[in-house]
Amino acid sequence: MCALDEAAKRYGVDIASYRGGIKDWHEQMERPKVSLDALEEAIALLEAHPSAFDIVIDAGTNITANHLGVLRAFLYSSPSVDVMLKFFELFSLVFCPAVKLVFIHRLNEKSELWMLRHDNDKGMPTFSNLGFSYYCIALITFIRSTQKESCSVEFFFERDPLDEDVIESLEQRFNCHIFYGHKIRRITLPSWYVNKPCTYANPELNATLVAPMHFSAESTMDSSLAEQVFFCVQTI
């Protein structure tokens, strides 16, 4: 949320007061856990701003490893990229309870990260399109940050929520290609990238962080919303 707040201010928007604002916004940012409701409320406020998508792109690309605590050290120290992505699937709840990641590893083909987003009882997504864009950008930004070498990725979505000029701008700024008309929301990564050893591999550190990661996941599950969403998407 700090990244979103900082990005909004660069565009002259104070989330705490913009369009009525969020009363406890500053208190939310000081808490150790991010409130998904507060995050979605902030993104809903920003949707009315003409630079809403630029704010989200800037915020997502400015989320650094330092924002992620133990998760950062755990994923950075993984022995290889494919193992790291499998860990990301296992602990995707810690990164964002509203989206369940499933990693499909293919040795000589593009591997895929499926993104299963929970829908409510009316069939409406719990995450807005703008919020989901923020999540995707933050996810890939973090994955790229674990390696010294970057790669181009592909995004596949169900329907087109963006104008053509916005898509073109995003593809250029984010080194990606975006496609619509697909049943499964997913990101594809090239095999040469997925099969690489991790730049910052540290097996000893990685092993010592397994227990803290499970504790972090269990702590996140204390939220009834997180638990409901996580187990619902597990059944998809």
Side-chain angles (χ1 to χ4, degrees), residues 60-64 136-146 174:
T61 53
N62 278 294
I63 289 181
T64 66
C136 292
I137 292 168
L139 172 65
I140 290 299
T141 295
F142 179 76
I143 290 173
R144 284 173 170 166
S145 77
T146 67
F174 204 58

Side-chain angles (χ1 to χ4, degrees), residues 4 14 44 57 61-62 86 90 106 141 186 195 203 209 231:
L4 186 65
D14 184 356
I57 292 175
T61 53
N62 278 294
K86 193 64 182 177
L90 184 61
R106 299 186 177 94
T141 295
R186 65 192 188 276
N195 295 326
L209 292 175
F231 281 114

Side-chain angles (χ1 to χ4, degrees), residues 80-99:
S80 59
V81 177
D82 61 317
V83 172
M84 183 214 27
L85 292 172
K86 193 64 182 177
F87 284 150
F88 226 132
E89 172 188 327
L90 184 61
F91 295 107
S92 59
L93 172 70
V94 178
F95 189 74
C96 177
V99 180

Side-chain angles (χ1 to χ4, degrees), residues 168-180:
E168 184 178 356
S169 174
L170 179 57
E171 289 182 332
Q172 291 177 352
R173 292 177 61 181
F174 204 58
N175 188 19
C176 68
H177 297 285
I178 300 172
F179 304 94
Y180 291 95

